[in-house]
């Protein structure tokens, strides 16, 4: 009996974490560059149920599998492209990215699924690379973001909305010379002068081969435990910079509300199960035990 009680309790904890993840997504519907989180739920442990003395010659007849609980293993970000929203501000930038990876077996681009993964026939997983603005925190650490709502300091430094320094392709701080605030960039990210000619390096746009290794730090900023598999944008990459636009959150509000309702109903169901077990235990202790 207690096994069922523990299963229901594990289900409640899991649905609470699922609920928290969805509410975080909904809270960031209007956050530029925000990437939706999805909760990965797995069962534990998986038990093979058998019947002793089954068919003749088969003393153990397999009935099936039984899962004795679930848990929220992790929250994974969904790095799909968000819609572009025009702002008209010259300091706002959006990355439009659809990087492809060639399948060496077929010589064609890998057909990534909606989550940005391709699983080969032998089970090998390949992730769609993603492009990010390269920034630097106050401690000199390299960070990555899709939030292109930049601002320009009186000294000409190009900063993120939270004050992080924007870097160029040489991993140097982007500093405007001349009149601060006169920032013009082409689709390749190169800063242009008044005549439309590139001056100096382009905005630092990093391509991360395994985006699911990114760790959230808050405010749309990510970090990597290891810089392996990170490179600067190269010619031929299907990435474009749009000035005067920002990338909106990729959270689907309708899907999020359905997910929120489903988590709530599953939580209530497990709660009812616990109440049932509580009444059963109370009867066993106070009535049956008295006999």
């Amino acid at each position: 009996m207690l096994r069922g009680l523990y299963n229901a309790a594990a289900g409640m904890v899991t649905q609470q974490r699922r609920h928290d993840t969805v509410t975080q997504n909904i809270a960031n519907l209007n956050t530029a560059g925000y990437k939706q989180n999805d909760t990965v739920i797995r069962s534990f442990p998986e038990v093979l149920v058998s019947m002793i003395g089954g068919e003749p010659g088969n003393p153990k007849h397999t009935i099936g599998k039984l899962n004795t609980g679930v848990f929220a293993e992790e929250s994974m970000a969904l790095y799909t492209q968000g819609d572009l929203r025009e702002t008209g501000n010259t300091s706002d930038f959006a990355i439009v990215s659809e990087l492809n990876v060639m399948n060496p077996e077929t010589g064609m681009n890998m057909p990534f699924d909606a989550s940005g993964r391709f699983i080969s026939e032998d089970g090998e997983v390949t992730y769609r690379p993603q492009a990010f603005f390269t920034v630097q925190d106050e401690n000199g650490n390299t960070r990555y973001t899709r939030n292109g709502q930049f601002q320009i300091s009186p000294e000409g430094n190009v900063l993120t909305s939270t004050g992080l320094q924007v870097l160029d392709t040489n991993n140097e701080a982007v500093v405007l010379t001349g009149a601060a605030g006169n920032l013009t960039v082409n689709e390749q990210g190169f800063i242009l002068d008044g005549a439309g000619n590139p001056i100096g390096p382009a905005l630092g746009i990093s391509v991360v081969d395994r985006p699911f290794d990114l760790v959230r730090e808050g405010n749309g900023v990510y970090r990597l435990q290891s810089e392996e598999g990170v490179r600067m944008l190269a010619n031929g990459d299907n990435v474009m910079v749009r000035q005067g636009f920002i990338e909106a959150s990729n959270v689907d509000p309708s899907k999020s509300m359905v997910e929120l309702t489903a988590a709530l109903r599953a939580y209530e169901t497990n709660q009812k199960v616990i109440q049932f077990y509580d009444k059963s235990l109370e009867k066993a202790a106070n009535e049956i035990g008295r006999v």
Side-chain angles (χ1 to χ4, degrees):
M1 182 181 293
L2 290 179
R3 178 181 296 173
L5 185 65
Y6 294 144
N7 292 352
M12 290 181 66
V13 173
T14 298
Q15 296 305 325
Q16 181 181 359
R17 293 180 179 176
R18 179 185 176 192
H19 184 277
D20 293 343
T21 300
V22 178
T23 53
Q24 176 183 324
N25 291 334
I26 294 175
N28 286 278
L29 276 171
N30 297 319
T31 301
Y34 178 81
K35 298 304 178 184
Q36 173 179 318
N37 266 352
D38 289 334
T39 302
V40 178
I41 299 175
R42 293 192 179 179
S43 58
F44 73 92
E46 195 172 75
V47 181
L48 184 64
V49 181
S50 301
M51 181 176 64
I52 303 299
E55 301 173 356
N58 182 17
K60 286 190 176 182
H61 178 66
T62 300
I63 298 176
K65 296 179 179 180
L66 173 68
N67 296 317
T68 58
V70 295
F71 70 105
E73 184 179 37
E74 60 180 333
S75 294
M76 297 187 66
L78 185 63
Y79 292 101
T80 55
Q81 178 74 44
D83 295 332
L84 299 190
R85 187 166 70 241
E86 186 173 7
T87 64
N89 297 327
T90 58
S91 59
D92 286 342
F93 299 92
I95 294 177
V96 181
S97 171
E98 191 175 353
L99 291 160
N100 296 311
V101 178
M102 181 177 293
N103 189 337
E105 298 179 358
T106 63
M108 302 176 64
N109 291 331
M110 294 180 179
F112 294 102
D113 60 17
S115 65
R117 294 187 301 176
F118 169 75
I119 304 177
S120 64
E121 294 181 355
D122 57 2
E124 183 179 356
V125 180
T126 303
Y127 298 95
R128 182 191 290 276
Q130 297 293 335
F132 296 85
F133 293 110
T134 312
V135 297
Q136 188 178 69
D137 65 13
E138 59 277 4
N139 297 320
N141 300 312
T142 301
R143 296 293 184 259
Y144 308 95
T145 185
R146 289 286 289 232
N147 187 348
Q149 290 181 306
F150 297 155
Q151 56 188 358
I152 302 171
S153 70
E155 296 79 18
N157 291 285
V158 180
L159 309 173
T160 67
S161 58
T162 56
L164 302 185
Q165 177 67 57
V166 178
L167 303 180
D168 60 22
T169 52
N170 296 327
N171 284 323
E172 299 290 340
V174 176
V175 182
L176 302 178
T177 58
N182 186 21
L183 177 61
T184 305
V185 173
N186 63 12
E187 292 184 349
Q188 289 73 45
F190 286 97
I191 300 176
L192 309 177
D193 59 16
N197 300 314
I199 51 173
L203 294 177
I205 299 178
S206 295
V207 175
V208 181
D209 290 338
R210 293 180 55 86
F212 289 97
D213 289 341
L214 290 166
V215 180
R216 290 180 185 265
E217 285 197 341
N219 298 316
V221 177
Y222 300 86
R223 61 179 172 86
L224 280 170
Q225 302 287 3
S226 171
E227 295 300 320
E228 183 180 357
V230 181
R231 61 176 176 83
M232 282 294 174
L233 192 66
N235 291 331
D237 287 332
N238 191 17
V239 177
M240 180 175 61
V241 179
R242 298 292 303 275
Q243 185 170 12
F245 291 80
I246 58 173
E247 181 186 4
S249 166
N250 67 350
V251 176
D252 185 337
S254 300
K255 180 181 177 181
S256 296
M257 289 306 300
V258 171
E259 185 83 3
L260 196 67
T261 304
L264 177 61
R265 294 291 180 254
Y267 185 92
E268 292 175 342
T269 301
N270 284 290
Q271 187 180 39
K272 293 293 183 182
V273 172
I274 289 181
Q275 291 174 351
F276 169 78
Y277 275 111
D278 180 60
K279 291 180 180 179
S280 299
L281 290 172
E282 180 183 4
K283 181 173 291 189
N286 296 335
E287 297 181 16
I288 299 178
R290 190 179 303 159
V291 178

